[in-house]
Amino acid sequence: MRILIAEDDEALSKFVRQGLEAENHVVNVFPDGEQARAAAIESEYDVVVLDLNLPKLDGVSVLRQLRLQKPSLPVLVLTQRTRVEDRVQCLDTGADDYLGKPFSFSELSARIRALVRRSHLPSESMLTVGDLKLDRIGHKVERAGHRIDLTAKEFALLEYLMRNAGRRVTRSMIIEHVWNLTFDTTTNVVDVYINYLRRKVDDGHPTKLIHTARGIGYELSAPAMAGAAEVRA
């Protein structure tokens, strides 16, 4: 899953980020409300973990604006404010869940999984291209019924390719969405990870799903899909 954390406590955000990344999620941390709001609106996330006491723009204001522009985006408020009045205000403003600090990481992780399960329809949580299946919630991948073990970054890359199945995506698009970075023309990290995926997803199968679009980038598609890419080199 892609998770946005809005938290200005550096030690706490690092702790949460490391825990979620250990569970193979892609995590982006933003230390103020303005950055968090902009990122949540401009990019695609599965869930937002939102502190209320944020600089520049408070958490309630962020929540209010997210509900106007992305009403279905799951938001979990994580805060030191534990008064009933605060919980009621956030839930009425549109928060999907509310967890007070201090907290158990295992509970936070379980609440995030529950939010995403409730927010995704089965067709959205399970991606399928040909005989390749990716379970976004269970973090499982299989092809032709055989389990494929992927690292967190490999999983994120495959998910992005499958969400754009049948369409060519450039290296810069992949860098931005999977690594959350500005494209560096000197890096070959995308090509390296594509090769990792090919070995795990395509090797041993007569039908190749990951194709090179020469001069553009890559495409994941099954033979029956329209606009199949050029045969890879």
Side-chain angles (χ1 to χ4, degrees):
M1 292 183 287
R2 282 177 56 86
I3 301 172
L4 184 154
I5 299 175
E7 174 61 67
D8 64 330
D9 184 324
E10 185 176 354
L12 178 60
S13 64
K14 181 179 180 181
F15 165 73
V16 174
R17 178 175 188 165
Q18 289 178 339
L20 292 173
E21 287 180 339
E23 295 180 343
N24 298 317
H25 303 304
V26 176
V27 182
N28 299 130
V29 177
F30 298 93
D32 67 66
E34 289 184 355
Q35 291 183 55
R37 176 198 58 189
I41 291 172
E42 294 170 5
S43 302
E44 294 300 321
Y45 288 95
D46 293 292
V47 64
V48 171
V49 179
L50 179 65
D51 183 25
L52 295 182
N53 298 319
L54 293 171
K56 297 187 178 180
L57 189 66
D58 67 273
V60 174
S61 297
V62 173
L63 178 60
R64 187 174 292 114
Q65 293 182 36
L66 288 183
R67 281 296 158 256
L68 290 174
Q69 300 191 52
K70 286 198 170 180
S72 62
L73 176 62
V75 178
L76 185 154
V77 171
L78 181 66
T79 180
Q80 290 179 335
R81 300 185 196 174
T82 57
R83 298 182 309 163
V84 172
E85 295 88 340
D86 294 318
R87 295 199 298 271
V88 170
Q89 180 189 25
C90 288
L91 293 171
D92 283 345
T93 303
D96 299 282
D97 201 355
Y98 195 104
L99 182 61
K101 302 174 183 177
F103 61 94
S104 161
F105 175 79
S106 59
E107 180 180 2
L108 172 65
S109 178
R111 284 174 180 262
I112 288 173
R113 292 194 299 272
L115 279 182
V116 176
R117 280 198 302 271
R118 292 199 298 267
S119 67
H120 285 83
L121 298 173
S123 60
E124 294 175 321
S125 62
M126 182 69 73
L127 302 177
T128 303
V129 178
D131 58 356
L132 178 65
K133 295 181 179 180
L134 182 147
D135 181 351
R136 300 181 65 221
I137 309 303
H139 203 270
K140 297 177 182 178
V141 177
E142 64 177 43
R143 183 165 185 192
H146 297 286
R147 177 76 178 265
I148 300 174
D149 292 322
L150 300 177
T151 66
K153 199 59 68 178
E154 290 168 351
F155 187 93
L157 174 57
L158 181 61
E159 179 185 347
Y160 181 68
L161 293 173
M162 292 183 72
R163 290 176 70 171
N164 290 277
R167 292 185 290 182
R168 296 175 176 182
V169 291
T170 66
R171 289 173 178 82
S172 60
M173 292 167 63
I174 293 172
I175 284 284
E176 178 183 353
H177 287 86
V178 178
W179 276 267
N180 198 38
L181 298 171
T182 301
F183 184 60
D184 177 358
T185 56
T186 64
T187 182
N188 67 340
V189 65
V190 173
D191 306 299
V192 169
Y193 273 83
I194 287 290
N195 287 332
Y196 291 160
L197 278 185
R198 280 176 164 159
R199 286 199 291 267
K200 294 184 177 183
V201 171
D202 277 345
D203 283 1
H205 296 274
T207 301
K208 309 306 180 185
L209 299 179
I210 302 173
H211 309 278
T212 297
R214 291 187 176 88
I216 301 174
Y218 297 97
E219 177 181 336
L220 188 147
S221 59
M225 301 183 72
E230 304 170 46
V231 176
R232 68 177 187 178

